[in-house]
Amino acid sequence: SRDNRMKTVNICQIDCLYASFTWSELHADPAPTAEDAGLMVGSPPPPDKIVTLHNFLQAPHNRWSLMHMRELVPTRNVPRGRQQMKIPRKPVDLSGLEVDLGGGRMVTVGDWLEEAYTDGFIVLHDGNMVFEKYYNGHTAGVQHLMFSVTKSFTGTMMLMLMDEGRVDGSATVGSYLPELADTAFGDATVQQMLDMTNSIAYNEDYNNPDADIAGFLAAMLPGGEGLYANLQGLKNTDPKFRHGEAFHYVTPDTEVLGWIIRRVSGENLAEVLHRMIWSRMGAGQEAYYWLDPYGVEMAGGGLAITLRDAARFGQMLLQDGRYNGKQVIPVTVARRIKRQRNAELFNRFYNDPWYEKVAASYHDQWWGYAGVNAVAAMGIHGQFIYINTAAGVVIAKQSSDPDAESDRVDNETPLIMHAISAHLAAQ
């Protein structure tokens, strides 16, 4: 949940499907790897070392699962195009860069990456790869689950359809999806879904086994009701605000956008992503989506990609949508993504310091940071695509943090990325 970012995450489990664990915020040793934990080693592995659908989102099992989702759930390919865009290299050793994390705590980037459950970390500056590190058995060719970074891809595809005139952002969800007309989404506009300002009574606390998000996760797994049925069951609006009055982070909003994209295009999300972005930007590897029991992609959290392709996507946006010798997405769409807005709506629902001191805005499924000209796609357990326009820096981080949300994930990570950006901009 987005109201827990300044707090310590409590130990809790959601129907044996999802758990987040609290680890000391002062932990200073390298994080244990999947190999250290003995996960999936042996023929067969010991029973307590097997990663299954019942524990794959729990620590330490997520250290293995987030790089092996295809071995656990059904997936659908997003093929790459014929041409791979090579990223030029201009190495800069950032490992010894010191960063002030507050409270008298100074860390080097290298030490922090090792203790922050990092799987992969890459930095581009002026289009050049200046820094790239892998941990926990991760490699450049492996797709890593990105959780809610997926939302920013869905938002970008929707903006492209709007730019083409195929979707009207001011039209209601019900006008595109009559199946949702009598739900909390029905009379909200497409733009309100993009900005997550629709009024819906929904609890996205990842640590609450009775929260609505627990039902969403259950719907995704074998035997679950599926995404479409889950969305159709969300009937209630929030009495505290009307559509368009406040930002409220709700993953099903993105699933509604995904449904509209499918309805309008006549294609599944994997086909749309391949046609609009993946093949055109010169992705190095195929991507894939996690599917529900009925073959529907999770638009709000199910995309798995390589670290370098995450960086390619960010660099394409930094360059106003142009990459691989092509205008991949319209200039107007890229600039819209990078321009922060809706700050006046951002903290009305939450009334939390994180929403003023760390982040400052949310629109079109992208976050904006406070005090810097930077936006980000963010996912739980430490997934990031960070675009700092002023510094010409793109950073991607893939992680398997034991905490879905924590000080380390949500406060320390942006401090590290801002510091790297400032350092490179000053060179």
Side-chain angles (χ1 to χ4, degrees):
S1 70
R2 296 302 181 248
D3 54 354
N4 276 337
R5 291 188 177 274
M6 300 295 288
K7 305 177 180 69
T8 301
V9 180
N10 294 319
I11 296 175
C12 182
Q13 187 174 0
I14 297 177
D15 294 334
C16 296
L17 300 176
Y18 194 96
S20 292
F21 293 82
T22 300
W23 292 64
S24 170
E25 301 296 349
L26 297 178
H27 178 71
D29 295 325
T33 66
E35 183 178 5
D36 293 336
L39 298 172
M40 300 300 284
V41 176
S43 302
D48 63 338
K49 303 297 184 181
I50 297 175
V51 181
T52 71
L53 287 176
H54 296 287
N55 64 24
F56 75 111
L57 292 176
Q58 302 171 18
H61 303 85
N62 66 337
R63 294 241 77 187
W64 184 90
S65 66
L66 301 191
M67 292 180 282
H68 296 85
M69 290 297 293
R70 291 195 130 156
E71 299 169 51
L72 296 166
V73 298
T75 64
R76 177 173 293 132
N77 282 351
V78 180
R80 68 178 181 89
R82 295 179 180 177
Q83 183 181 11
Q84 176 184 348
M85 177 64 183
K86 293 186 178 180
I87 306 174
R89 296 172 180 268
K90 192 176 181 181
V92 177
D93 186 3
L94 298 172
S95 297
L97 178 64
E98 288 195 332
V99 180
D100 185 355
L101 296 181
R105 185 181 175 204
M106 297 291 296
V107 298
T108 64
V109 168
D111 286 346
W112 184 85
L113 289 173
E114 288 194 2
E115 67 186 62
Y117 294 86
T118 307
D119 295 325
F121 191 81
I122 189 171
V123 181
L124 307 187
H125 183 223
D126 293 336
N128 299 302
M129 184 194 303
V130 298
F131 190 77
E132 183 184 35
K133 293 287 185 181
Y134 293 94
Y135 308 84
N136 188 34
H138 195 14
T139 63
V142 171
Q143 299 97 336
H144 191 291
L145 186 64
M146 296 298 286
F147 288 113
S148 290
V149 168
T150 310
K151 292 179 171 67
S152 299
F153 282 85
T154 303
T156 301
M157 289 187 285
M158 179 58 78
L159 290 179
M160 294 173 75
L161 290 175
M162 290 166 60
D163 185 77
E164 294 174 1
R166 300 178 68 183
V167 175
D168 179 359
S170 65
T172 64
V173 169
S175 67
Y176 287 102
L177 302 174
E179 299 93 329
L180 296 181
D182 65 346
T183 68
F185 310 109
D187 59 351
T189 68
V190 173
Q191 187 59 56
Q192 288 165 346
M193 304 302 291
L194 273 165
D195 295 340
M196 292 199 185
T197 61
N198 67 306
S199 174
I200 180 172
Y202 197 86
N203 186 339
E204 189 144 343
D205 183 349
Y206 303 116
N207 303 299
N208 182 350
D210 299 318
D212 298 293
I213 194 64
F216 172 85
L217 291 167
M220 281 297 304
L221 296 179
E225 64 179 345
L227 290 176
Y228 291 155
N230 184 261
L231 295 175
Q232 290 176 77
L234 301 175
K235 305 286 189 179
N236 299 325
T237 56
D238 193 314
K240 295 189 292 295
F241 69 98
R242 295 177 296 179
H243 295 318
E245 292 184 345
F247 165 69
H248 181 199
Y249 189 90
V250 174
T251 289
D253 288 2
T254 317
E255 300 303 335
V256 171
L257 295 174
W259 194 348
I260 295 173
I261 291 171
R262 296 185 194 95
R263 179 64 55 84
V264 169
S265 69
E267 301 171 295
N268 60 47
L269 283 190
E271 292 169 327
V272 176
L273 180 58
H274 166 76
R275 175 173 55 81
M276 283 188 156
I277 298 173
W278 215 244
S279 63
R280 293 175 53 78
M281 79 171 192
Q285 301 286 340
E286 67 181 24
Y288 66 83
Y289 278 102
W290 172 3
L291 305 178
D292 81 352
Y294 302 96
V296 180
E297 304 102 335
M298 191 201 297
L303 185 64
I305 61 179
T306 68
L307 183 70
R308 290 179 185 175
D309 283 336
R312 287 182 174 97
F313 181 66
Q315 186 66 33
M316 178 266 293
L317 289 168
L318 181 66
Q319 296 175 181
D320 286 346
R322 186 168 183 81
Y323 202 63
N324 194 31
K326 301 179 178 68
Q327 192 65 43
V328 179
I329 70 174
V331 173
T332 52
V333 170
R335 290 181 178 174
R336 171 174 172 158
I337 287 169
K338 293 183 291 182
R339 187 182 308 117
Q340 296 190 28
R341 60 183 177 83
N342 288 352
E344 71 281 1
L345 306 178
F346 190 57
N347 202 19
R348 286 182 179 174
F349 177 83
Y350 293 104
N351 190 27
D352 187 285
W354 189 87
Y355 291 82
E356 296 175 0
K357 295 181 179 180
V358 180
S361 68
Y362 189 93
H363 70 88
D364 298 318
Q365 307 282 296
W366 286 85
W367 298 86
Y369 281 117
V372 295
N373 186 8
V375 298
M378 296 195 298
I380 55 173
H381 297 283
Q383 325 311 321
F384 291 85
I385 300 176
Y386 168 95
I387 304 165
N388 190 312
T389 301
V393 169
V394 171
I395 300 174
K397 186 176 192 287
Q398 295 176 329
S399 314
S400 44
D401 199 288
D403 298 331
E405 298 173 328
S406 68
D407 182 65
R408 177 178 52 246
V409 171
D410 300 301
N411 300 326
E412 292 181 6
T413 307
L415 288 174
I416 294 289
M417 296 190 296
H418 297 336
I420 289 173
S421 297
H423 174 76
L424 291 173
Q427 300 301 299

